Each structure stands twice: as C-alpha cells, then as structure tokens.
C-alpha cells in the first residue's frame, strides 16, 4: 500500500494507542494533533539529513535585473517542486558562493554560466522509502504521545526508538550513491611535505 500523510499518521497513532483517522480535517483530538504536528515534523525530517531520495538539481534562470547588493547576478528559484532547503549552487559542478533572498539566489556568475541549484524538496509520501517511513512513524509517535496521551514516559520511549530508526535509515540511505574513497596517496604526500 502506498504511503499517504493519513496512513503514516495512523501508524503513529496506533503505536500510542490512539484512534485512527480518515482525514486530518475534524475535531477529534487525533485529527487536531495530526493537523498541528504532521506537516512541521515531516518537513523537519526531510531537512535533517541530505536524503538522496529528496535531493534534486535544477538549472536556474537568470533574471534580467542586476541585484542591488554586491552580487553580480540574480537567479529565480525553481517553483516546482516545493524546495525546503537549498544545499548549494554550482557552475560546472564546482560549488560557488551564493546567498538567498526571498525566492532569488544571488551569486557572482557570468551570463554564459550554467548555474545549477542542489536542494532538498518536499517528496510525495507515496515516493518515500520504507526506512524513512518507519523512522518518521516513530518520530511522529513521540510527538503524538506528548500531545494526545500526555504520557512523558511513552513519549520518551518513542523518542529513543526514533533515534535508533533514524540511525538505521541513514545507514540504509548511504547505499544510494557510490561510496567515496579517500585518496591515501595525497594524504601521505601531505604528511611528508
């Protein structure tokens, strides 16, 4: 079954012994808690680590007007997908200095440069890997335990389980790209030099 915001919230609600919901809209305690906590916690979980499944790249569009500050150029942030965190800006795969003002990225790039943004975006829940969902469910259960059951010991238990699951999730995520090797020769040469 594909994950949705409601199915993920229901897994966390079940862990704390609360009623399940069919929608976030409503007056039930569980619905109010889900409405107030889910989105904030989901965005925080996505931006807490450089998850490869939530990382995107986009070529930026240069704006016609020159920035008022000390930067040479302004580029528009992509409007889709919803960007939560800007990880970097590059030209020819080399990171460059930049600054973000509102929905613009300012940098010192030449007009002929292809400027690319690397970012974390809000992934649709149906596209989440199972290791992320599991860790997020425990994270959410900790918050629901505080909000719904008001039992600090239950909240602490789920916080501890969440910490372990996030560690496992980051380990699983590490296989999403080629392992980076340290060039031992350059380290030896640096030590001798």
């Amino acid at each position: 079954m594909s994950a949705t915001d409601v199915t993920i919230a229901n897994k966390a609600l079940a862990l704390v012994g609360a009623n399940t919901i069919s929608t976030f809209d409503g007056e039930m305690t569980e619905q109010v808690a889900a409405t107030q906590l889910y989105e904030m916690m989901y965005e925080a979980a996505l931006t807490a680590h450089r998850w490869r499944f939530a990382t995107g790249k986009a070529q930026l569009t240069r704006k016609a007007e020159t920035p008022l500050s000390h930067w040479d150029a302004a580029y528009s942030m992509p409007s889709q997908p919803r960007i939560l965190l800007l990880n970097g800006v590059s030209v020819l795969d080399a990171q460059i200095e930049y600054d973000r003002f509102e929905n613009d990225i300012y940098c010192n790039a030449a007009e002929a440069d292809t400027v690319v943004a690397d970012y974390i975006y809000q992934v649709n829940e149906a596209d989440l890997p199972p290791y992320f969902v599991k860790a997020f469910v425990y994270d959410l259960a900790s918050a629901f335990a505080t909000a719904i059951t008001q039992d600090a010991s239950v909240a602490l238990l789920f916080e501890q389980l969440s910490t372990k699951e996030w560690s496992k999730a980051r380990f699983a995520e590490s296989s999403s790209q080629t392992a980076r090797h340290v060039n031992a020769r350059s380290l030896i040469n640096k030590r001798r030099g």
Side-chain angles (χ1 to χ4, degrees):
M1 169 164 63
S2 287
T4 66
D5 54 358
V6 172
T7 61
I8 291 171
N10 278 333
K11 289 176 190 316
L13 289 166
L15 285 174
V16 299
N19 296 315
T20 59
I21 59 176
S22 58
T23 177
F24 282 19
D25 298 326
E27 300 298 319
M28 288 175 42
T29 302
E30 292 84 355
Q31 290 170 314
V32 172
T35 300
Q36 295 297 317
L37 297 172
Y38 183 89
E39 191 71 21
M40 172 190 66
M41 294 194 63
Y42 182 50
E43 290 177 0
L46 286 171
T47 58
H49 180 72
R50 288 184 95 173
W51 303 106
R52 301 307 301 165
F53 67 85
T55 301
K57 285 186 178 286
Q59 182 175 333
L60 301 178
T61 304
R62 190 179 178 105
K63 298 182 88 169
E65 63 272 4
T66 304
L68 297 174
S69 65
H70 64 282
W71 299 103
D72 295 337
Y75 290 81
S76 298
M77 285 279 287
S79 58
Q80 290 296 325
R82 182 165 175 258
I83 296 174
L84 300 175
L85 181 67
L86 192 60
N87 289 332
V89 175
S90 61
V91 173
L92 297 173
D93 289 329
Q95 292 288 316
I96 62 170
E97 289 186 24
Y98 69 93
D99 208 343
R100 180 178 176 180
F101 295 97
E102 296 175 358
N103 286 324
D104 293 334
I105 298 172
Y106 289 19
C107 62
N108 292 328
E111 199 165 333
D113 288 340
T114 300
V115 178
V116 175
D118 179 7
Y119 54 82
I120 299 290
Y121 67 97
Q122 186 158 359
V123 178
N124 184 308
E125 282 89 344
D127 298 325
L128 293 172
Y131 56 82
F132 182 90
V133 173
K134 185 176 180 187
F136 182 54
V137 164
Y138 281 112
D139 204 15
L140 203 52
S142 175
F144 286 164
T146 302
I148 297 169
T149 69
Q150 298 181 352
D151 187 334
S153 63
V154 173
L156 181 60
L157 170 68
F158 284 115
E159 184 179 332
Q160 291 168 344
L161 290 170
S162 162
T163 300
K164 288 179 185 175
E165 289 304 321
W166 282 125
S167 179
K168 291 178 187 178
R170 286 189 298 275
F171 179 76
E173 174 76 1
S174 68
S175 66
S176 295
Q177 66 185 25
T178 305
R180 296 195 171 110
H181 298 284
V182 175
N183 184 347
R185 178 60 58 204
S186 65
L187 293 175
I188 292 169
N189 289 342
K190 212 170 210 138
R191 181 183 267 174
R192 290 181 183 162

